[in-house]
Amino acid sequence: MSFEELGPTFVKLGQLLATRPDLVPEEFVQEFSKLHDKVQPLPFATIEAVLQEEFGAQLYVHFDSFDPEPIVPQA
């Protein structure tokens, strides 16, 4: 099972480990590096639900706007 399948927390952990070749073998660093720009984006509804839970009904008072489309790196 990949870190991506385990969820956002594991993706962040993998991204961190990709920057630490002193802690993990080089082949792991190479694989974890893929988590920097090759991760499937979460649906905007999922993100919005988490933000609503954190900020409550006044979510859009705290933020001027949201772009529901993720930024995709150019190849």
Side-chain angles (χ1 to χ4, degrees), residues 1-18 24 28-29 31-36 38-40 42:
M1 180 173 288
S2 75
F3 274 41
E4 190 173 357
E5 292 171 349
L6 293 171
T9 302
F10 284 89
V11 169
K12 281 296 181 194
L13 177 60
Q15 290 171 338
L16 174 68
L17 289 173
V24 295
F28 283 39
V29 169
E31 286 299 311
F32 289 143
S33 293
K34 295 175 184 176
L35 295 172
H36 287 293
K38 293 182 174 66
V39 176
Q40 291 295 321
L42 290 172

Side-chain angles (χ1 to χ4, degrees), residues 14-74:
Q15 290 171 338
L16 174 68
L17 289 173
T19 66
R20 296 301 308 265
D22 56 320
L23 296 178
V24 295
E26 180 60 31
E27 59 268 15
F28 283 39
V29 169
Q30 291 174 4
E31 286 299 311
F32 289 143
S33 293
K34 295 175 184 176
L35 295 172
H36 287 293
D37 61 357
K38 293 182 174 66
V39 176
Q40 291 295 321
L42 290 172
F44 181 70
T46 303
I47 307 277
E48 187 176 37
V50 170
L51 291 172
Q52 287 260 260
E53 186 177 317
E54 291 296 318
F55 290 100
Q58 299 193 350
L59 171 64
Y60 290 95
V61 170
H62 296 287
F63 299 95
D64 290 332
S65 66
F66 287 103
D67 185 355
E69 295 299 315
I71 298 171
V72 179
Q74 299 297 320

